[in-house]
Amino acid sequence: MNAPHRPAGKAPMDDVTLYGPASWEGPPRRYGPVARVAVLSDIHANIPAFEAVLAEPDVAAAGLVVLCGDLTWGPQPQETYELIAALGDRVLCVRGNADRFAAGIGISGERAATPRQAWIAAQHSPEAMAFLARVPFGVVVEIDGLGPVHFCHGSPRSDHELVTPGTPPERFAQLSAALDARVLVTGHSHLQFDRAVAGLRSVNPGSVGLPYHTGEPGTAYWALLGPDVRLRTTRYDAAEAVARAHLAADPEAERYAATLMEPPTPERIVEDAEDRIFVN
């Protein structure tokens, strides 16, 4: 999700294109049981933040690392792919809207509407693009103390639906109606929270690479699951992340830096997200 620009109003559901599982996917694959799962989301190719979180002892010791989408769409997408590949079988990824969009431009020939869209796609090797095209829409992991946990990026019905601490119980019940799990973990909103709603538990680990928060710049957000949910933060060098964006010649380096250093507040994001609901 990008920093908000308020629209005239939200579109009715009938007018929204949903981006759910790809044609080659069946039901989400199931994994586990696992004692501990580290959950990282919305890395947005911020290598200093990603490396700092991966270095956390609890992440290194976790049985699985789940990356909850939007791995790419930032200054260092190829390096991000290489770090993910190095994790091997310890990592499970789910597809974010940014990952879908990058693969659409790089593989399916969708038109890039801006210079940065073209630039992002060009930063991926063929192997990285092939990887993005294979990332599934969602996974389910059996975690000690929590039972089956469903992981996706936006919501179980679309990778670009926003779930926030302000999502009304009625909409949450609708988007989670098909779940075979009591815990839903999503990303996309870049907000960290743990909330009981509509008889389920709604968790967002927050964003590693581009959080919306009121904390100090250089704070990466993530979560440790099992036997309960622990919301965590890690400090990293935000100035280095900004420098790398400029060094990479990211066409939107200035906007990226501004969002890292002066992010929109969670209150503003919740208001905007609940007004728009679906944001690519």
Side-chain angles (χ1 to χ4, degrees), residues 30-31 139-151 179-185 200-201 225:
R30 305 181 77 92
Y31 299 85
V139 298
V140 176
V141 182
E142 181 84 23
I143 303 175
D144 291 355
L146 294 171
V149 178
H150 187 104
F151 297 86
L179 285 192
D180 181 21
R182 305 305 300 170
V183 181
L184 173 64
V185 179
L200 299 177
R201 192 168 186 175
L225 275 55

Side-chain angles (χ1 to χ4, degrees), residues 15-101:
D15 295 336
V16 174
T17 299
L18 298 181
Y19 299 97
S23 58
W24 51 267
E25 297 184 72
R29 290 190 62 181
R30 305 181 77 92
Y31 299 85
V34 184
R36 301 287 185 278
V37 174
V39 190
L40 288 60
S41 189
D42 296 276
I43 297 164
H44 282 285
N46 180 337
I47 290 294
F50 191 22
E51 289 180 330
V53 176
L54 289 178
E56 287 278 7
D58 282 340
V59 176
L64 284 175
V65 177
V66 176
L67 305 182
C68 233
D70 279 12
L71 318 169
T72 185
W73 218 265
Q76 296 187 273
Q78 179 63 27
E79 294 86 346
T80 302
Y81 160 71
E82 291 167 2
L83 279 176
I84 294 169
L87 293 172
D89 293 339
R90 287 190 62 235
V91 69
L92 299 176
C93 299
V94 300
R95 181 175 68 250
N97 60 304
D99 310 316
R100 164 178 52 83
F101 199 36

